[in-house]
Amino acid sequence: MNHMRNAFSVDVEDYFQVLAFESVIKRENWPHYELRVRRNVDAILELMEQRQVRGTFFVLAWIAERAPQMVRQIAAAGHEIASHGCLHERVSTLTPTRFAADVRSSKSVLEDQGGQEVIGYRAPSYSIDGSTQWAFPALAEAGYRYSSSIFPGRHDLYGMPEAPRFPYHPLGEGLLEIPITTVEVAGRRMSCGGGGFFRLWPYRVFRAAIRHVNVVDAQPAVFYMHPWEVDPGQPRIHAAPLRSRFRHYLNLDRVVPRLRRLLSDFSWGRMDEVFGVRQ
């Protein structure tokens, strides 16, 4: 096991709230879908407890309002509660005024339920990029101390390839942006931060990439996952585009075994502690 501690994070949203299904599932219809996030978070918490891993849970306020006991359970287990916004709306679809209201509201909801100050934020679908830099002052004004909202590479749905690969201060001081981890291969940035890439790449490739970041770059990695990724039995959204379904359902049955290995192969901690942002 590497001695460097990496950051383990979970984006707490349910299967019907993802960007891949946005074109076929409207937000006003969310209440009609089965809420499976509680049992899936329980499974993740159990895996983390077995390895004595503490992490950061970026919770969607919509979920928190419907599962307050789950938020309290996460906090009671020693994990950090952070914000994933209210309704999983990409920053680029919001006005600066609406965004400011969203991050303040989600922070308030989560602090009330989790009983701890919320200092971290992750934009839905990593939607802070070159065109939405106005989000950073709004986060600082709302009382956040860090953001983990940028994918510093190329992706057809999001990404900011010109962004630094490792933590930096987008406002010059104060607020810290902690990008999702990438590794440079032949001059290109490859994601080794989690999500679909954790399910796509062979585990040995993913493990080697994180080790490279730890040893060669001498930097902690940021790993993220979603509760629905440990749920191979989730309902299928057949109306979604084929590409979206492929991405969403790929190798779901392999996540738990891979996650067990990942938690054992590396040292993990909370975002606020790994990056020293909690005063």
Side-chain angles (χ1 to χ4, degrees):
M1 177 188 287
N2 289 342
H3 293 294
M4 179 171 287
R5 192 162 59 148
N6 301 289
F8 188 92
S9 64
V10 182
D11 294 354
V12 183
E13 61 200 51
D14 221 327
Y15 70 98
F16 53 84
Q17 298 172 314
V18 300
L19 177 61
F21 299 151
E22 191 176 63
S23 64
V24 294
I25 300 179
K26 305 305 178 186
R27 286 179 178 82
E28 57 265 29
N29 292 327
W30 284 357
H32 302 304
Y33 287 83
E34 177 192 7
L35 202 63
R36 299 173 67 91
V37 68
R38 285 175 289 224
R39 73 186 79 173
N40 296 332
V41 164
D42 281 346
I44 294 170
L45 289 173
E46 182 177 353
L47 287 170
M48 296 176 74
E49 186 60 34
Q50 289 170 0
R51 299 295 188 273
Q52 291 297 293
V53 167
R54 298 294 176 263
T56 295
F57 287 70
F58 292 92
V59 184
L60 205 62
W62 189 94
I63 292 287
E65 290 173 335
R66 287 155 179 80
Q69 181 58 39
M70 181 190 73
V71 179
R72 290 191 286 271
Q73 178 185 3
I74 294 169
H79 305 289
E80 179 190 11
I81 302 293
S83 170
H84 200 33
C86 291
L87 293 170
H88 209 257
E89 295 173 290
R90 283 169 288 160
V91 178
S92 57
T93 68
L94 300 174
T95 65
T97 300
R98 280 190 61 203
F99 176 77
D102 180 278
V103 296
R104 287 182 183 278
S105 177
S106 61
K107 188 176 191 293
S108 176
V109 168
L110 295 169
E111 287 178 341
D112 286 347
Q113 295 182 352
Q116 60 180 247
E117 183 186 12
V118 169
I119 65 169
Y121 171 79
R122 176 169 288 161
S125 306
Y126 300 101
S127 52
I128 293 182
D129 56 23
S131 67
T132 52
Q133 294 292 291
W134 48 260
F136 288 128
L139 289 170
E141 290 167 11
Y144 293 92
R145 294 184 204 145
Y146 77 89
S147 161
S148 182
S149 301
I150 286 179
F151 173 66
R154 298 189 184 280
H155 190 283
D156 61 328
L157 298 176
Y158 51 78
M160 186 177 173
E162 70 274 20
R165 288 177 57 217
F166 301 114
Y168 68 100
H169 295 279
L171 303 177
E173 60 181 2
L175 186 80
L176 184 69
E177 171 59 32
I178 307 170
I180 292 302
T181 300
T182 57
V183 65
E184 289 194 336
V185 178
R188 295 176 63 89
R189 293 179 177 183
M190 182 186 88
S191 175
C192 58
F197 296 99
F198 184 58
R199 293 180 278 119
L200 175 63
W201 307 124
Y203 178 75
R204 65 182 182 278
V205 173
F206 199 89
R207 179 179 58 195
I210 293 182
R211 283 180 174 163
H212 183 93
V213 171
N214 287 169
V215 176
V216 178
D217 295 319
Q219 294 282 339
V222 177
F223 178 84
Y224 76 97
M225 65 171 302
H226 307 89
W228 53 263
E229 290 183 284
V230 300
D231 186 12
Q234 65 189 267
R236 266 36 181 181
I237 309 299
H238 298 291
L242 178 60
R243 188 177 188 181
S244 296
R245 283 182 280 138
F246 173 78
R247 284 175 166 171
H248 187 86
Y249 299 121
L250 176 69
N251 291 335
L252 291 180
D253 58 333
R254 299 183 182 179
V255 171
V256 169
R258 288 183 178 183
L259 192 56
R260 287 197 181 101
R261 295 179 66 184
L262 186 77
L263 294 175
S264 295
D265 286 343
F266 298 93
S267 176
W268 300 98
R270 297 162 39 137
M271 297 280 295
D272 59 346
E273 294 176 349
V274 169
F275 295 101
V277 288
R278 188 172 293 276
Q279 298 172 352

